[in-house]
Amino acid sequence: MAKSTLLLSTVTLSFFCVALAFEPSPLQDFCVADASSSARVNGLVCKNSASVQASDFSFSGLHLPGNTKNPLGSSVTPVTVAQVPGLNTLGLSLARIDYAPMGVITPHFHPRASEILTVLEGSLEVGFVGSNPENRLITKTLQKGDVFVFPVGLLHYQRNVGNGYAVSISGLSSQNPGIITATNAVFGSKPDISNDVLAKAFQVDKTIVDQLQAKF
């Protein structure tokens, strides 16, 4: 009985140690980002709490439509720690996305966040792709008021399939979710990925790869 109790206690302690190490509780009320600091940490350095203002925790303009007059027909208005310093260490952010008719947010992923999207206006086709080897596409057409979740690190996209403009709001589980757009990463890396590698990856001629890289 004593050994069983000891084993249970050890397993329980190990579980809580792992959980606390993965996502520690904040050690202060807030940690407003000091963008001027040259210090390098996993996040941004806290500025002196005596200089913190209400403006560090607020953002204005999310009601304004973004400019969708671009080749993709879409616009993203982010509200991350870069716009709201008070988000630092809190693990959440927002984004407003505007879509012209047939506008798209091309396949991309967030390396540090899951995303929950709500349609405010219009109709959106959304989807994400699971990991290898299945690469299963999970997709759905959303209407006003519908919600969809994109798991962290998975390639996903949105497309306006309605007749007019569409708007959505996304919540993300990081103050700095990051974004990696598939086409930009593959064809727009600096320096270029070798066209030999990409030609084999896409099973196309090198000249096609060169043409695509020239666009990015």
Side-chain angles (χ1 to χ4, degrees):
M1 181 66 70
K3 290 183 178 180
S4 299
T5 302
L6 178 60
L7 178 60
L8 179 60
S9 299
T10 302
V11 171
T12 303
L13 179 60
S14 298
F15 172 78
F16 282 111
C17 286
V18 170
L20 291 173
F22 177 74
E23 191 174 31
S25 298
L27 301 179
Q28 61 279 315
D29 290 341
F30 48 78
C31 175
V32 174
D34 181 1
S36 66
S37 174
S38 61
R40 295 291 180 264
V41 296
N42 188 21
L44 295 169
V45 175
C46 309
K47 74 177 184 179
N48 191 322
S49 60
S51 65
V52 169
Q53 305 292 328
S55 58
D56 292 318
F57 299 91
S58 65
F59 177 87
S60 298
L62 211 60
H63 63 294
L64 300 174
N67 182 5
T68 58
K69 293 181 179 180
N70 55 65
L72 299 180
S74 63
S75 175
V76 178
T77 303
V79 187
T80 70
V81 70
Q83 291 77 38
V84 182
L87 283 173
N88 194 38
T89 75
L90 298 185
L92 74 164
S93 57
L94 284 174
R96 170 184 171 135
I97 310 173
D98 292 271
Y99 313 79
M102 298 307 295
V104 299
I105 296 293
T106 58
H108 66 283
F109 67 91
H110 305 290
R112 295 179 289 275
S114 295
E115 176 180 353
I116 182 167
L117 176 147
T118 303
V119 180
L120 300 184
E121 295 292 342
S123 302
L124 294 179
E125 174 194 330
V126 300
F128 66 84
V129 180
S131 56
N132 297 348
E134 293 84 3
N135 299 122
R136 180 185 174 197
L137 172 63
I138 296 178
T139 183
K140 184 176 178 65
T141 298
L142 306 180
Q143 307 300 333
K144 181 177 179 178
D146 289 346
V147 172
F148 197 81
V149 173
F150 304 111
V152 60
L154 294 187
L155 204 69
H156 58 280
Y157 71 94
Q158 296 104 259
R159 178 167 69 117
N160 183 358
V161 292
N163 296 320
Y165 284 80
V167 182
S168 65
I169 289 284
S170 288
L172 299 112
S173 61
S174 171
Q175 64 268 14
N176 183 25
I179 181 169
I180 298 176
T181 305
T183 49
N184 295 52
V186 173
F187 298 110
S189 67
K190 306 298 179 190
D192 290 342
I193 298 174
S194 167
N195 60 6
D196 288 330
V197 173
L198 295 182
K200 289 183 178 179
F202 288 94
Q203 296 295 291
V204 296
D205 190 84
K206 292 180 185 179
T207 57
I208 295 177
V209 172
D210 293 338
Q211 291 171 10
L212 289 169
Q213 287 179 322
K215 294 179 182 294
F216 294 90

